């Protein structure tokens, strides 16, 4: 999905792909799917760093799509040489920048997930320590309370053994 029709556009520019009209329809469909995924992800952004990375991704995505659309338009007009020149000079670098921005967002999300995982593990260690202390308390209570009760009973009324 992330390739956003890059390979299909490259094949069409080289004359090995589908027609420009069919390519445009495919690109529209794949862009809609990608936009839906991005809208879902945008709803989960919490920090300013995340928003900045996502904004950079959106800016580069829009630049790439505009150039890709211009390439497809040239193909539809029957200008494959101009389409190839535009594709190589502008579309490829913009796609690389777009892919780099997506990689940055993924790295940011991975770092945040790692940080959240570390917090969860730290909380688990705290809870295990509390459980161990409670277990120790109940063990001591369960052993010494009955023992003290028996010793107290023995000290008040000595047991007399009958002959």
């Amino acid at each position: 999905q992330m390739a956003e029709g890059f390979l299909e556009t490259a094949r069409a520019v080289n004359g090995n792909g589908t027609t420009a009209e069919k390519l445009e329809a495919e690109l529209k469909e794949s862009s809609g799917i990608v936009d839906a995924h991005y809208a879902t992800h945008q709803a989960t952004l919490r920090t300013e760093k995340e928003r900045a990375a996502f904004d950079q991704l959106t800016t580069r995505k829009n630049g790439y799509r505009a150039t890709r659309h211009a390439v497809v338009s040239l193909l539809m007009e029957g200008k494959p040489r101009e389409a190839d020149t535009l594709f190589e000079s502008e579309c490829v670098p913009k796609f690389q920048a777009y892919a780099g921005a997506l990689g940055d967002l993924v790295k940011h999300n991975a770092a945040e997930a790692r940080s959240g995982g570390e917090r969860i593990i730290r909380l688990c260690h705290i809870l295990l320590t509390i459980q161990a202390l409670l277990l120790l308390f109940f063990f001591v209570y369960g052993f010494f309370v009955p023992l003290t009760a028996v010793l107290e009973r023995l000290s008040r009324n000595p047991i007399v053994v009958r002959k």
Side-chain angles (χ1 to χ4, degrees):
Q1 291 293 331
M2 191 285 302
E4 286 236 25
F6 179 78
L7 296 175
E8 292 81 359
T9 306
R11 280 191 226 113
V13 167
N14 292 329
N16 299 326
T18 62
T19 64
E21 291 79 14
K22 187 175 179 184
L23 176 64
E24 184 176 42
E26 290 173 3
L27 293 176
K28 187 175 183 178
E29 180 183 343
S30 70
S31 293
I33 292 169
V34 170
D35 286 343
H37 288 299
Y38 285 156
T40 302
H41 180 71
Q42 187 175 17
T44 65
L45 300 177
R46 286 183 256 159
T47 66
E48 285 302 316
K49 285 184 180 180
E50 285 179 309
R51 286 186 194 93
F54 188 80
D55 289 344
Q56 181 181 21
L57 173 70
T58 303
T59 300
R60 291 188 178 173
K61 173 191 70 166
N62 292 339
Y64 161 69
R65 283 184 181 177
T67 306
R68 183 188 68 189
H69 180 70
V71 169
V72 174
S73 295
L74 287 171
L75 288 173
M76 291 175 79
E77 294 170 8
K79 300 178 182 178
R81 185 166 297 212
E82 291 87 351
D84 184 43
T85 302
L86 182 62
F87 181 77
E88 293 297 332
S89 66
E90 290 187 38
C91 197
V92 171
K94 286 184 180 182
F95 176 75
Q96 290 171 341
Y98 171 41
L102 183 60
D104 291 343
L105 185 64
V106 169
K107 286 179 190 174
H108 179 74
N109 287 344
E112 184 179 327
R114 197 174 311 111
S115 170
E118 289 170 356
R119 272 187 253 130
I120 290 171
I121 289 173
R122 200 170 23 245
L123 180 63
C124 287
H125 287 152
I126 291 170
L127 290 175
L128 284 173
T129 303
I130 291 171
Q131 286 178 338
L133 291 173
L134 286 172
L135 184 63
L136 180 65
F137 170 76
F138 286 125
F139 174 75
V140 169
Y141 183 82
F143 181 75
F144 285 108
V145 168
L147 180 65
T148 56
V150 167
L151 291 175
E152 182 181 326
R153 175 81 173 136
L154 289 175
S155 65
R156 281 190 288 174
N157 295 327
I159 298 177
V160 178
V161 179
R162 293 185 181 172
K163 294 184 184 178

